[in-house]
Amino acid sequence: MSSSGKANAALAAAIIFLLLSSGAAYSAFGRLRASQGWVQHTRDVQDELDQLSKTSWRASRISAEYRDSGDASLLEREAQTVLAVRNALSSIQRLTADNAGQQVSYGKLRELAEQRISLIEKSIELKRSGQPTLESQAATQRQITANAEALDQLLQAMYAEEERLLAERQQREQSSFTVTAGTLATSLFLALVLFLIHHQLLTDQVRQRVRAESSLRALSAR
């Protein structure tokens, strides 16, 4: 193959390789974005679990304040907190829809959360009736305490599962980042090598032409 053909072949190879490497890089970036999305998804689940824990505790605290003070203004806050609990439950159900194991845990979580809401409402009704007994309130409080312990244990188990998933997804994200960076670096390096080869072949062609023209001039002069 002539030097001109070699130069053209090197240029064509460089362009083809750049196109292929661009496709590979695009695919790698897609995998990286997907990995980052799953990491954020796991953190969103953990945030909602934290939110449920906080709002459940807040609902119990407000009901306890109402039992002690009888302040009717607390009932509106209690209703808002119960709504926040149910909103957190809905978010957890939606976010864990991809995980069958977490969906099973969610079913138990919802049952416990609704049980706590019922116990809190029962405690409030006892206070509003104006005839609560220490025995009835104590029994309800014991049920609320037992429910709180069971709910906290389940929340911790679900959070631990999300921590495990987070570690896996972060590792996948790091792997995707490494592959993406390696793909780009390799692509750029090989493309640069091919372009340098192309440049060298063109330079050789110019030198050969210059030598040929010099020889021709020398021959003409003689």
Side-chain angles (χ1 to χ4, degrees), residues 48-165:
E48 289 300 328
L49 291 171
D50 285 337
Q51 181 67 17
L52 178 61
S53 178
K54 292 174 183 177
T55 51
S56 297
W57 178 84
R58 190 181 304 123
S60 298
R61 180 176 58 80
I62 293 173
S63 67
E65 290 178 7
Y66 176 73
R67 288 196 308 270
D68 294 338
S69 66
D71 184 358
S73 65
L74 292 170
L75 296 178
E76 179 63 26
R77 289 174 55 195
E78 178 66 22
Q80 293 175 355
T81 305
V82 168
L83 179 61
V85 168
R86 287 179 170 147
N87 287 339
L89 283 169
S90 296
S91 295
I92 292 169
Q93 181 184 29
R94 175 177 55 83
L95 290 170
T96 59
D98 61 296
N99 189 321
Q102 290 290 67
Q103 281 286 285
V104 172
S105 296
Y106 165 77
K108 299 175 183 177
L109 185 68
R110 186 177 189 86
E111 181 180 348
L112 287 170
E114 290 295 340
Q115 182 183 16
R116 174 178 283 193
I117 291 171
S118 297
L119 289 170
I120 289 173
E121 290 176 347
K122 178 182 177 181
S123 176
I124 289 173
E125 285 303 318
L126 286 172
K127 179 66 177 179
R128 294 176 68 178
S129 68
Q131 296 178 341
T133 63
L134 290 176
E135 183 179 351
S136 63
Q137 287 285 21
T140 303
Q141 187 58 42
R142 284 195 296 272
Q143 289 177 309
I144 290 175
T145 301
N147 173 276
E149 292 177 355
L151 185 64
D152 288 343
Q153 288 177 358
L154 184 55
L155 283 170
Q156 289 174 9
M158 293 182 72
Y159 198 94
E161 173 63 14
E162 293 299 323
E163 277 291 309
R164 184 187 68 79
L165 290 173

Side-chain angles (χ1 to χ4, degrees), residues 153-187:
Q153 288 177 358
L154 184 55
L155 283 170
Q156 289 174 9
M158 293 182 72
Y159 198 94
E161 173 63 14
E162 293 299 323
E163 277 291 309
R164 184 187 68 79
L165 290 173
L166 180 62
E168 289 181 0
R169 289 165 179 172
Q170 284 177 329
Q171 179 62 39
R172 198 174 304 139
E173 178 187 20
Q174 182 60 41
S175 298
S176 296
F177 177 80
T178 302
V179 169
T180 301
T183 300
L184 288 175
T186 303
S187 300

